Amino acid sequence: MPEIRVTPLGAGQDVGRSCILVSIAGKNVMLDCGMHMGFSDDGGPGLTCAASPSHFHLDHCGALPYFSEMVGYDGPIYMTHPTQAICPILLEDYRKIAVDKKGEANFFTSQMIKDCMKKVVAVHLHQTVQVDDELEIKAYYAGHVLGAAMFQIKVGSESVVYTGDYNMTPDRHLGAAWIDKCRPNLLITESTYATTIRDSKRCRERDFLKKVHETVERGGKVLIPVFALGRAQELCILLETFWERMNLKVPIYFSTGLTEKANHYYKLFITWTNQKIRKTFVQRNMFEFKHIKAFDRAFADNPGPMVRPCGDRCCPRAPSFHIRGAWEGVIMPGYCVQGTVGHKILSGQRKLEMEGRQVLEVKMQVEYMSFSAHADAKGIMQLVGQAEPESVLLVHGEAKKMEFLKQKIEQEFRVNCYMPANGETVVLPTSPSIPGGISLGLLKREMAQGLLPEAKRPRLLHGTLIMKDSNFRLVSSEQALKELGLAEHQLRFTCRVHLHDTRKEQETAMRVYSHLKSVLKDHCVQHLPDGSVTVESILIQAAAPSEDPATKVLLVSWTYQDEELGSYLTSLLKKGLPQAPS
Amino acid sequence: MKLYCLSGHPTLPCNVLKFKSTTIMLDCGLDMTSTLNFLPLPLVQSPRLSSLPGWSLKDGNAFLDKELKECSGHVFVDSVPEFCLPETELIDLSTVDVILISNYHCMMALPYITEHTGFTGTVYATEPTVQIGRLLMEELVNFIERVPKAQSASLWKNKDVQRLLPSPLKDAVEVSTWRRCYTMQEVNSALSKIQLVGYSQKIELFGAVQVTPLSSGYALGSSNWIIQSHYEKVSYVSGSSLLTTHPQPMDQASLKNSDVLVLTGLTQIPTANPDGMVGEFCSNLALTVRNGGNVLVPCYPSGVIYDLLECLYQYIDSAGLSSVPLYFISPVANSSLEFSQIFAEWLCHNKQSKVYLPEPPFPHAELIQTNKLKHYPSIHGDFSNDFRQPCVVFTGHPSLRFGDVVHFMELWGKSSLNTVIFTEPDFSYLEALAPYQPLAMKCIYCPIDTRLNFIQVSKLLKEVQPLHVVCPEQYTQPPPAQPHRTDLAIDCQPPATSYRRAEVLTLPFKRRYEKIEIMPELADSLVPMEIKPGISLATVSAVLHTKDNKHVLQPPPRPAQPTSGKKRKRVSDDIPDCKVLKPLLSGSIPVEQFVQTLEKHGFSDIKVEDTAKGHIVLLQEAETLIQIEEDSTHIICDNDEMLRVRLRDLVLKFLQKF
């Protein structure tokens, strides 16, 4: 029995470090390759046909160089163009932090990142990439961040869709995720916000701007820890348009380096942003900011209000916190993984232990606002509805919340929903139909007959399936015989039916004709000039044996193909003819 | 399968393919060479043009002098320029299901088709094709609408009148169907019918046909198309290039194994080498500017201009021309330059890697930044303040009949210091220049056409091996001007089928098979038997389920349980359905073994007689006779059903069912 096997190596009932192994029709595909070293043995070389990171966040592609250069995976790696462009920069950044600052040994090197990127094959949206003769993958737009994609993996009629992280509502800079009704056997979806239903984005944005505005009005400084790529750009656009509308003069600074570079990527990959930005970019490129300037360390101690979107929000090491001083407010615009500074502050911790055992007291006001570009429960349900999968598998979420969403999906869509833990394998039996060919002659004959008004019972199609290698062709029996160079063997029956009838043969034949005509209304009954009667292709002749003039013999002759009708006719005639009205 | 050929222009094709149950239009090219018959539309009143003498017949009859003007021995129509549309009468265009666009030059007739023929289908094109195509249309509409011309000549189109006119007007085809330019509103409406596609994206049409665009290497987003069903494959090759310029390289491998390959859009200047032409362009430009003259480059706002700017970017410093201003004047100049930088995914590898840095892929960004290249929507406004001479001006339209180029021709034409360099191959430069004669300005012809030449085509065809090639008739014979150059024609085996405007071709292939899916339950129930080594057969009785042009074989329904005796049976229920076919039989019956089998089953008194063709087996007791021949068996018996069925089954044991 064919089956699809799914094993999350990361993101099984947890958030972050996605890495999912899918085995479909004997092909193994790794989806995402997040930073996670624990399960690396499972994805050894030879096992995997393709690795497809869905976007450039490190929890989705962070372990790529490790996997390809240190574990030894040698196959292709598929990602979208923006991901391919941005991924190596983030990996390098990540490597620097890990090796230079934390002093981790046995980490991948810069050269390894370069070598790893050489194995990358860039894919267009909706392009069908033929990995080998059977396995094909296709990317769909996922929103979330620049270049984020959902991947469809297909072998024959079996398919799996992996969403990666996605967003079902367009935001200030990206569009909404979209997939067609591709009816996969399995949809693997993230479930970060499995239980949350967010209010409208506009309200959140208004709240956000109000808070920022209030703080700067008071003369305070606003720190917005935000991932340098993605959310930073969204917030910059939001602040930029607000500043312009309100004619504000308070400075906004973004971090130099990564954020600045990121803006360039957004300018060049503008086709991946939302429709409004794409439409107006010639007149005004939204990523060329007027009010937002690059940050300089010297500005940190400037008196007076300022707004600073900066740093990495999730990483345990948040550079923004190096800036001390009178920060009035921190606004957390995204999801914070446990153990990070962000999570600690949000959960109300007021004393932070920094690197070097330094304890920092948090004096500022802290606000949490969901600006994360993940789909909420409504969005996830919407995507499931769009794709119409046969079953759903949840990853990248917390177990408790997943449980709730699982029930909801099972209720609403009446499909099985799985939520395996890391290392746990889900096996889905599939029953793919077998592709073959049908000769056009046979098909046309059938279709023509299918058009006739038919009884309720379905028509049966007869033919011969010729199987050669793995090639199946359905042809008419005649054609099969011809193709194989075989002669048809005709089997014919002729039955003698004795009738008591004193009349002449011709008249007997006439009586047989009118009898059959009245009984067999749906059949073609004919009286031929030579005196014989035909029912379809069955021939009935009347003869008078010489010895007994009162008996007539009916010779009923048919071929094996008319067996049923022939047999029926003989039994019908055996019962005799009705008395002719005199 | 049929091909309706609606355009006679080999590089601006418009064909309709009927394949399976779909009607697919391949490209929608607009033949703009018709505008060469018209007088240029000057941006500012031109005393020279307005004082041209009216044309009169040899006998002095001047009834056409309002419509036709004479300039240096050539006659021009003084009217709003008109374009030659694809045939609209050959096939009912409202039946077209989809239009596939291969590149932005081949979609210029789209508004005429989508807005005025009852077309209700979908248009497929790549994103760069649509964006740049929109710019080309916008420019065209703008060029024509901003100089409103009161006169629309129609008298000369009268067949009897046209006969009397001098060439080329006399020979112009289908003048009655020539149309004025569309409006921006029509353009927008037409473009709204386009659905964006990416290379190698498989698009299902009604479940019957799959179409896929492939990179063709000619322009940003340019594509060839594969139109295929499970068993047939048609490749549509239009405007392809194997040269390394800015677009993504051509995908050749996917064209393999085509039943039919429709080949259009080859180079229009097969004798010119594009690289050599670029060199000539640069040197002529430098020469003119050094002598204090201006250079005019009539061009489209997108395409080769990017390559020319890139060449100049490298060339001007080394040639000591860095201070010479480059002007790009077009209503869409800014958009074109901006758009070129954002299609990273559609660019060649080198340019892609620049984007990954991240840097703009085209160096004209730097030319703009350093103020070496300036762009303006038109000669009015800022341009007149910034204008410095000598300079290089890139502007449209390459036909020299409308657009800002008309102004520069009038302005610079009188001085032999200036040079006009023709780079676009779409228009004959001599014809383009005709209404400006006499001209003192130097004219250089450096046509840059990167599309496939005949050597490349032959190589390509050898590689991809299509069963049949279909192409415009122009490609099957040497150009009329060079009849001895037999190398300037397509050479392939079997010879290509050619088409001309308004022709309908029946494409030479027969469909034999259709895809079908066999449900796993049915497959499980099949009993294959090996007939020959490696070939197995199974007889199939199944229900054919067809939906959305997809055929699925399902297992036959289980026979209904006989209903309890309550319902009275009708006679007709017993009558077998004659449409339930028994399988065919094959094989032969060895008489001796057959007789042995009969005996084993209790028949006695068996007599065998030899006949000319076989044997007769007599069962005397049962008054039954069995004629056995090589490929037939005939059982003749009394009306004893039991006996007959027993004999039948014994015979069947020796035969194979199909």
Side-chain angles (χ1 to χ4, degrees), chain B residues 8 10 267-268 270-271 454 472-489:
Chain B
T267 176
Q268 301 186 73
T271 46
F454 288 100
E473 61 172 352
Q474 289 92 331
Y475 295 162
T476 55
Q477 61 226 12
Q482 295 148 298
H484 60 285
R485 290 290 298 269
T486 45
D487 58 322
L488 299 184

Side-chain angles (χ1 to χ4, degrees), chain B residues 368-404:
Chain B
I368 295 170
Q369 233 169 23
T370 54
N371 261 330
K372 287 175 183 162
L373 172 66
K374 292 186 173 192
H375 54 84
Y376 304 89
S378 87
I379 51 165
H380 300 299
D382 290 345
F383 175 70
S384 29
N385 304 327
D386 300 353
F387 186 41
R388 276 192 300 122
Q389 301 194 67
C391 62
V392 179
V393 171
F394 294 87
T395 187
H397 186 272
S399 67
L400 306 190
R401 290 303 178 270
F402 36 83
D404 301 276

Side-chain angles (χ1 to χ4, degrees), chain B residues 554-581:
Chain B
Q554 294 172 341
R558 293 215 185 90
Q561 294 300 313
T563 41
S564 48
K566 279 182 190 169
K567 267 190 188 163
R568 224 175 66 86
K569 266 181 150 186
R570 283 181 306 176
V571 188
S572 60
D573 285 347
D574 294 337
I575 302 171
D577 186 353
C578 67
K579 290 189 192 94
V580 179
L581 280 169

Side-chain angles (χ1 to χ4, degrees), chain B residues 35-184:
Chain B
T35 57
L36 292 174
N37 296 299
F38 292 78
L39 272 189
L41 291 178
L43 271 177
V44 269
Q45 176 77 12
S46 155
R48 186 186 68 86
L49 285 172
S50 46
S51 61
L52 287 175
W55 180 80
S56 51
L57 289 171
K58 275 193 196 107
D59 58 8
N61 191 334
F63 75 104
L64 280 168
D65 69 345
K66 286 264 177 315
E67 290 198 352
L68 302 180
K69 304 282 176 188
E70 198 166 346
C71 175
S72 314
H74 286 85
V75 177
F76 298 94
V77 181
D78 187 12
S79 164
V80 185
E82 293 178 333
F83 307 119
C84 179
L85 267 55
E87 288 290 325
T88 48
E89 304 293 322
L90 192 64
I91 180 172
D92 180 0
L93 292 175
S94 68
T95 62
V96 171
D97 299 309
V98 294
I99 301 179
L100 308 181
I101 302 293
S102 55
N103 63 65
Y104 45 76
H105 285 300
C106 293
M107 61 185 283
M108 297 299 279
L110 200 59
Y112 294 115
I113 305 292
T114 59
E115 305 309 302
H116 299 290
T117 62
F119 172 79
T120 54
T122 312
V123 184
Y124 291 100
T126 62
E127 183 165 6
T129 301
V130 178
Q131 298 296 5
I132 298 172
R134 175 194 296 276
L135 298 183
L136 290 181
M137 291 180 177
E138 237 180 82
E139 187 192 56
L140 187 66
V141 172
N142 188 297
F143 279 164
I144 289 181
E145 283 186 353
R146 75 182 177 191
V147 268
K149 193 157 182 126
Q151 176 163 287
S152 179
S154 59
L155 201 55
W156 70 277
K157 285 186 182 180
N158 186 310
K159 270 209 171 83
D160 296 325
V161 176
Q162 200 197 348
R163 253 184 325 115
L164 306 172
L165 303 181
S167 277
L169 278 178
K170 186 168 75 179
D171 311 315
V173 289
E174 312 267 356
V175 289
S176 59
T177 62
W178 289 11
R179 290 284 172 275
R180 305 169 66 160
C181 190
Y182 31 74
T183 64
M184 214 43 224

Side-chain angles (χ1 to χ4, degrees), chain A residues 265 461 473 489 494 496 563, chain B residues 356 513 542 623 633-634 648:
Chain A
Y265 281 116
L461 172 145
R473 284 178 304 132
H489 189 103
T494 300
R496 295 184 291 263
E563 174 73 2
Chain B
Y356 288 178
Y513 286 96
E623 286 188 54
T633 303
H634 193 170
R648 179 194 74 190

Side-chain angles (χ1 to χ4, degrees), chain A residues 93-224:
Chain A
D93 191 55
Y94 171 44
R95 192 195 67 81
K96 269 193 202 143
I97 292 164
V99 177
D100 301 352
K101 295 224 168 144
K102 288 194 193 155
E104 270 187 46
N106 197 25
F107 209 79
F108 49 77
T109 62
S110 294
Q111 189 55 42
M112 285 178 180
I113 298 176
K114 281 185 192 132
D115 291 341
C116 168
M117 293 313 288
K118 281 181 192 148
K119 296 175 180 169
V120 171
V121 180
V123 299
H124 287 256
L125 281 183
H126 302 163
Q127 172 189 8
T128 302
V129 180
Q130 212 73 43
V131 177
D132 58 27
D133 284 348
E134 289 161 327
L135 176 65
E136 48 184 55
I137 61 173
K138 182 176 176 181
Y140 290 94
Y141 191 76
H144 190 62
V145 291
L146 192 74
M150 307 191 272
F151 278 101
Q152 182 195 45
I153 298 126
K154 199 172 171 190
V155 179
S157 59
E158 294 167 88
S159 64
V160 173
V161 170
Y162 173 60
T163 63
D165 291 355
Y166 64 102
N167 189 8
M168 291 300 280
T169 43
D171 62 24
R172 288 274 162 174
H173 72 307
L174 295 173
W178 177 86
I179 194 161
D180 53 6
K181 206 178 279 304
C182 56
R183 298 197 173 98
N185 296 83
L186 179 66
L187 174 76
I188 305 174
T189 173
E190 65 131 330
S191 50
T192 319
Y193 288 106
T195 53
T196 319
I197 290 181
R198 285 173 296 177
D199 48 5
S200 100
K201 191 104 189 183
R202 297 273 148 191
C203 297
R204 266 177 287 145
E205 288 176 358
R206 211 168 40 228
D207 287 352
F208 167 78
L209 291 170
K210 209 174 117 199
K211 274 172 194 156
V212 172
H213 196 195
E214 279 170 2
T215 312
V216 295
E217 287 281 272
R218 282 204 306 270
K221 295 186 167 87
V222 184
L223 184 66
I224 310 166

Side-chain angles (χ1 to χ4, degrees), chain B residues 382-515:
Chain B
D382 290 345
F383 175 70
S384 29
N385 304 327
D386 300 353
F387 186 41
R388 276 192 300 122
Q389 301 194 67
C391 62
V392 179
V393 171
F394 294 87
T395 187
H397 186 272
S399 67
L400 306 190
R401 290 303 178 270
F402 36 83
D404 301 276
V405 73
V406 176
H407 179 73
F408 287 100
M409 283 304 296
E410 294 286 330
L411 186 70
W412 290 343
K414 294 168 211 92
S415 165
S416 60
L417 281 179
N418 303 324
T419 308
V420 54
I421 308 182
F422 291 88
T423 55
E424 300 288 354
D426 285 358
F427 301 92
S428 144
Y429 81 106
L430 290 173
E431 282 182 54
L433 287 171
Y436 298 96
Q437 300 291 1
L439 208 57
M441 184 182 206
K442 255 186 291 176
C443 304
I444 307 289
Y445 185 52
C446 299
I448 299 168
D449 196 332
T450 57
R451 286 172 278 210
L452 296 177
N453 61 35
F454 288 100
I455 301 168
Q456 291 164 331
V457 165
S458 301
K459 212 174 140 221
L460 174 76
L461 291 179
K462 269 196 195 103
E463 219 145 274
V464 304
Q465 299 265 340
L467 292 183
H468 299 280
V469 176
V470 176
C471 67
E473 61 172 352
Q474 289 92 331
Y475 295 162
T476 55
Q477 61 226 12
Q482 295 148 298
H484 60 285
R485 290 290 298 269
T486 45
D487 58 322
L488 299 184
I490 286 180
D491 173 30
C492 65
Q493 273 314 317
T497 314
S498 70
Y499 69 80
R500 60 174 72 180
R501 190 179 165 107
E503 211 168 18
V504 182
L505 298 185
T506 304
L507 296 185
F509 80 63
K510 214 172 144 56
R511 302 204 304 116
R512 289 205 172 80
Y513 286 96
E514 180 73 88
K515 195 193 171 184

